[in-house]
Amino acid sequence: MTKVMTDKINDQINAEMYSAYLYLSMAGYLASKNLNGAAGWMKMQAKEEMEHAMKFYHFIEDMGERVTLKEIQAPPAEWNSLLALMENVYAHEQKVTKLIHSLVDQARADNDHASFEMLQWFVKEQVEEELHARDLRDKIKLAGDSVNALFIIDGIMGKRAQG
Ligand code: MG
């Protein structure tokens, strides 16, 4: 694996850990607003992001390269509304998709078939991540100022945490 690719995957470990931090921060904010279903959803999301980080971590090890970790940036702690928060989730996942695609471009440039193959899982995963974020964002937008609708959405999000 090239040095550039190893560096980029190490950076991706950091990006995935930041994603986990961001979603845990969102969980804390949502719990403080008594939206415990949505908070549970964010905790599950954070757990998945840590699993993504570990997939990249183990891949570097499997390739006989060196894992190097950097400082994880502090995430925001406050949002203006559940809608603003979910817009942030969607925008963040779109950013992560760009990072994954840039890794694929690097694998192509390096003729690195092993990295290319490993990354295909993440390409598909990002389609799902964007779909789920967009779907929830649109539902929250539809709910508007309806407290009833908001509680229904919180309930839907809470179901993920249960199973
Ligand atoms: Mg991820």
Side-chain angles (χ1 to χ4, degrees):
M1 193 153 70
T2 61
K3 168 94 170 64
V4 176
M5 194 67 193
T6 305
D7 288 349
K8 279 177 89 93
I9 297 178
N10 269 313
D11 286 346
Q12 194 62 33
I13 293 175
N14 190 275
E16 301 292 344
M17 291 302 285
Y18 174 77
S19 298
Y21 246 41
L22 175 64
Y23 295 140
L24 280 178
S25 184
M26 287 175 168
Y29 164 84
L30 291 164
S32 80
K33 302 286 175 195
N34 247 343
L35 292 166
N36 293 311
W41 192 94
M42 289 298 161
K43 283 178 199 165
M44 289 295 291
Q45 189 72 15
K47 200 168 151 250
E48 277 193 22
E49 299 303 347
M50 287 186 256
E51 287 167 11
H52 295 168
M54 289 313 292
K55 268 183 200 274
F56 285 114
Y57 187 110
H58 290 134
F59 182 74
I60 291 176
E61 284 192 331
D62 289 350
M63 295 295 281
E65 303 293 345
R66 174 83 157 85
V67 169
T68 48
L69 301 179
K70 292 178 187 145
E71 189 179 2
I72 302 166
Q73 195 197 325
E78 295 292 333
W79 289 266
N80 288 330
S81 62
L82 181 60
L83 180 60
L85 181 147
M86 201 49 75
E87 291 283 13
N88 190 345
V89 172
Y90 184 44
H92 181 70
E93 287 303 332
Q94 287 179 305
K95 210 173 108 188
V96 172
T97 298
K98 284 207 178 85
L99 292 175
I100 297 290
H101 290 180
S102 144
L103 286 170
V104 174
D105 291 344
Q106 189 64 47
R108 278 221 174 98
D110 292 349
N111 260 324
D112 179 347
H113 298 277
S115 296
F116 183 85
E117 172 60 26
M118 177 276 293
L119 289 164
Q120 296 313 299
W121 184 89
F122 285 97
V123 171
K124 280 184 236 150
E125 175 69 8
Q126 282 313 117
V127 174
E128 295 291 312
E129 297 280 35
E130 285 195 29
L131 168 69
H132 293 145
R134 201 167 52 235
D135 179 63
L136 284 169
R137 190 268 319 261
D138 291 347
K139 279 189 172 71
I140 292 161
K141 215 182 240 177
L142 269 177
D145 293 332
S146 163
V147 175
N148 281 349
L150 188 64
F151 276 116
I152 289 167
I153 291 166
D154 188 57
I156 290 169
M157 291 181 82
K159 284 219 171 76
R160 179 185 182 183
Q162 290 158 14

